[in-house]
Amino acid sequence: MDEKAKPAWMQDELVKDIPPGKLDFLGRMFAEGHGKSQKEMMAMLLPMMKKAKQEKLTFTQQEMTAAIAAIKKHSSPEELKQINKILEKSKGGA
């Protein structure tokens, strides 16, 4: 992915230690989920996680925490609401 084309969160200091391949995957996942309802987002996440497994991409808790923090830092208030709802739903075991 071209440096200039990368979203601001992908260039944030918080994610500097995450390998580029993992960042690109997260970027695709975030872009595909942008603007989707919570239900649509949850339906999209399962195939994306399966794809990550096929690509042998695993994320440490530290990497996920850093990526989520960077995404939140560069999100609009509406996006933050959606992100927080999805995170709550995923923690609750839906």
Side-chain angles (χ1 to χ4, degrees):
M1 191 180 279
D2 181 21
E3 280 299 312
K4 291 178 183 153
K6 285 186 178 183
W9 71 267
M10 288 178 84
Q11 299 175 49
D12 195 283
E13 190 68 16
L14 290 166
V15 297
K16 72 177 179 6
D17 295 328
I18 299 176
K22 289 183 180 184
L23 271 182
D24 287 343
F25 179 84
L26 289 173
R28 287 193 313 267
M29 190 167 84
F30 187 68
E32 286 182 33
H34 191 75
K36 291 193 179 338
S37 71
Q38 186 176 342
K39 189 175 182 178
E40 291 170 324
M41 188 74 160
M42 296 308 276
M44 183 206 77
L45 284 175
L46 291 174
M48 289 292 289
M49 296 317 288
K50 190 175 185 178
K51 185 173 171 66
K53 198 172 190 177
Q54 288 171 343
E55 293 180 19
K56 303 214 182 324
L57 290 175
T58 56
F59 296 90
T60 66
Q61 185 62 44
Q62 185 178 358
E63 288 171 334
M64 288 306 297
T65 300
I68 290 167
I71 290 168
K72 284 179 154 187
K73 184 175 170 182
H74 296 278
S75 293
S76 70
E78 294 78 27
E79 290 168 332
L80 275 174
K81 278 186 199 173
Q82 185 180 12
I83 291 166
N84 287 330
K85 280 183 187 176
I86 291 164
L87 291 173
E88 281 302 312
K89 188 112 176 152
S90 68
K91 284 180 190 169

